[in-house]
Amino acid sequence: MDRDRYVDSLRALAIVLVVCGHWLITGLVRGPGGDIDAPELLAVVPWTQWLTLVFQIMPLFFLAGGHGAAGSWERQRASGGTAAGWVRRRSVRLLLPTGVYSGLVLLSVGIAAGMGVDPYTLSLVGWAMAMQFWFLPVYLVLGALTPVLHTAHRRWGARVPVVMGAVALAIGAVVVAGGLSYVGPLNYVLVWGVAYQLGFCWRDGLLGRGRAVPAVLAVGGGLAFALLVGLGPFPVSLIRVTGQQPGNTDPPSAAMLAWAVAQVGVCLLVAPAVRRGLARERVWRPVRAVAGASMNLYLWHMLPVLVIAAAFYLTGLAPEPAFGSAAWWVLRVPWLLVLGVVMAGVLSALRPLERGLSAAYERVRPDAGPRRAWTLWLGLLVCVAALSRFAVQGFAHDGRFPVLPAVGLVAGLALVLAPGARRVPLRPDGPGRRSALKGAA
């Protein structure tokens, strides 16, 4: 089956812009004693918060994810597969590279802690290597809920994301008002779930064949965002800024929801023109390469920052104009280029590992669910909890090795990766028929 090149290009674009955004706002400063610090650019230079409107396009990743998941789940249903088998295979695809990455980082943290590395430095590095993890537990949850969400989609169509958005707005209003703050995390699933669910609608043509509905989404979402930022309580930054309350990402706010809707509208408006461009092989070839490496790019993209910090900042070789000055911004160009070169080397070094993980993933049968379904759901729950802990506190909170979340991630992965049950085909006669009926009884 031919893949939709435009959908794959959205995933690639979202990852590339997120990576470039993280690199752009990461600034290193070498102190008098040789220690390295990373001031928060968005807080120190407030106008840079406007840049997040360009780099925060993860709504399009969730849109593309919903589009792809809908097609995959429909094919699984048509072939008679189970929800547990489908969720397990989708989860393994995300958790295998994440587990390897986390294991290597945790091993490094343990060695560094044993060697007596300064706790502050270790905590800063551990946070940098986990700053992208917020996305993983949300995507795992939405993947696990896909069979239920798609059932709702088949019954109620575009009304589902509308209702999800309305509930998210109500929860957001309660959180901003200062009450029941513990319900706020639900908006991680609801706000990002709106974009995911719109992916279902997009695939089934429920967002209109012309330009009217996309234009309404783009203009309506953009105006709502402008009002919520200009007249409402929300900041313009679509990335968390220390001390900003309320923020737009922790949990996702009404402003983030509005921006997500606007992005979906723009994405649909430009789709015909972009698809024509992607039909050319010379245009599609580099996009396909980036899309194929997107998971490793997302997971490992802060490693080049650490390499450059060690090679140029710890040694005092890097020029250091005043943080946020015009000269500092000029040096962002070689900074991004050097990071890109190092990242290319990292991705090249990871290719054997990537091939090994791909082979392991292919051994997970798409038509075989876990032997006991509860092990899958428990494993996913534990993985989500562990990854959420890393996303909030990093890999070395207060300079200490994170024993509990590390053990939790290993246990969760073991439960999800537990061997699946062999699917027994139903035949009109013979042992397969009898054993299947016996199992059903």
Side-chain angles (χ1 to χ4, degrees):
M1 181 178 178
D2 292 336
R3 295 180 66 90
D4 189 322
R5 290 184 173 186
Y6 183 51
V7 174
D8 286 347
S9 73
L10 290 178
R11 294 191 185 98
L13 177 65
I15 295 300
V16 167
L17 282 183
V18 167
V19 168
C20 289
H22 284 169
W23 286 351
L24 183 67
I25 66 174
T26 300
L28 303 179
V29 174
R30 187 172 187 268
D35 55 312
I36 305 298
D37 198 7
E40 190 175 353
L41 181 66
L42 299 180
V44 176
V45 188
W47 70 263
T48 59
Q49 295 178 27
W50 288 91
L51 297 176
T52 64
L53 301 186
V54 176
F55 292 105
Q56 178 56 281
I57 64 167
M58 285 306 283
L60 297 188
F61 193 97
F62 284 96
L63 175 73
H67 187 289
S72 175
W73 170 235
E74 285 175 357
R75 291 190 293 274
Q76 176 83 338
R77 288 178 59 247
S79 67
T82 65
W86 183 87
V87 169
R88 177 173 178 263
R89 184 170 167 86
R90 297 281 290 194
S91 301
V92 167
R93 189 172 191 173
L94 188 69
L95 286 172
L96 277 177
T98 301
V100 171
Y101 171 83
S102 300
L104 291 174
V105 174
L106 287 168
L107 176 62
S108 302
V109 167
I111 293 173
M115 294 174 60
V117 172
D118 172 62
Y120 174 78
T121 301
L122 192 57
S123 178
L124 180 62
V125 171
W127 170 82
M129 297 300 283
M131 64 185 296
Q132 72 276 36
F133 266 38
W134 71 266
F135 154 80
L136 298 171
V138 178
Y139 205 73
L140 277 173
V141 170
L142 288 173
L145 293 176
T146 294
V148 175
L149 294 174
H150 199 264
T151 298
H153 164 74
R154 294 197 305 273
R155 182 168 183 177
W156 294 297
R159 285 173 286 184
V160 178
V162 172
V163 171
M164 291 173 68
V167 175
L169 291 175
I171 290 176
V174 170
V175 171
V176 170
L180 301 177
S181 60
Y182 59 86
V183 302
L186 290 175
N187 270 3
Y188 284 104
V189 174
L190 290 170
V191 172
W192 298 115
V194 167
Y196 193 78
Q197 199 82 20
L198 286 173
F200 297 173
C201 298
W202 179 26
R203 186 177 187 278
D204 290 347
L206 299 183
L207 299 181
R209 299 292 181 182
R211 302 172 65 87
V213 173
V216 169
L217 294 176
V219 175
L223 287 176
F225 178 80
L227 290 173
L228 288 165
V229 171
L231 302 178
F234 300 102
V236 71
S237 178
L238 295 174
I239 297 177
R240 184 177 67 86
V241 178
T242 301
Q244 250 184 15
Q245 290 295 334
N248 284 325
T249 62
D250 191 20
S253 68
M256 178 65 82
L257 176 60
W259 194 248
V261 170
Q263 284 190 359
V264 170
V266 172
C267 166
L268 299 181
L269 284 173
V270 303
V274 178
R275 280 197 168 102
R276 286 193 295 270
L278 291 171
R280 303 171 184 172
E281 197 60 31
R282 60 188 176 87
V283 176
W284 168 242
R285 194 177 299 113
V287 175
R288 180 178 57 195
V290 173
S294 59
M295 189 62 186
N296 278 337
L297 178 60
Y298 187 79
L299 286 173
W300 292 90
H301 74 271
M302 290 304 290
L303 179 59
V305 175
L306 301 184
V307 172
I308 298 304
F312 294 98
Y313 283 85
L314 285 178
T315 59
L317 296 176
E320 291 196 63
F323 188 82
S325 65
W328 185 86
W329 281 104
V330 169
L331 287 174
R332 290 285 90 182
V333 176
W335 165 260
L336 292 176
L337 291 175
V338 172
L339 287 175
V341 170
V342 176
M343 189 73 246
V346 171
L347 292 177
S348 179
L350 289 172
R351 281 175 188 165
L353 175 61
E354 187 176 6
R355 287 193 292 268
L357 292 178
S358 296
Y361 169 72
E362 291 303 325
R363 288 196 291 270
V364 179
R365 292 166 54 86
D367 58 350
R371 296 183 189 278
R372 297 175 179 83
W374 67 265
T375 62
L376 169 68
W377 308 119
L378 177 60
L380 284 176
L381 180 62
V382 174
C383 285
V384 166
L387 293 173
S388 299
R389 179 75 174 270
F390 289 138
V392 174
Q393 297 187 343
F395 282 109
H397 183 59
D398 291 336
R400 297 192 300 268
F401 185 87
V403 176
L404 185 60
V407 171
L409 183 59
V410 172
L413 281 168
L415 289 170
V416 173
L417 295 172
R422 184 179 296 277
R423 185 182 174 196
V424 180
L426 288 175
R427 298 195 299 271
D429 298 298
R433 171 75 171 174
R434 288 192 297 271
S435 61
L437 292 176
K438 181 179 179 181

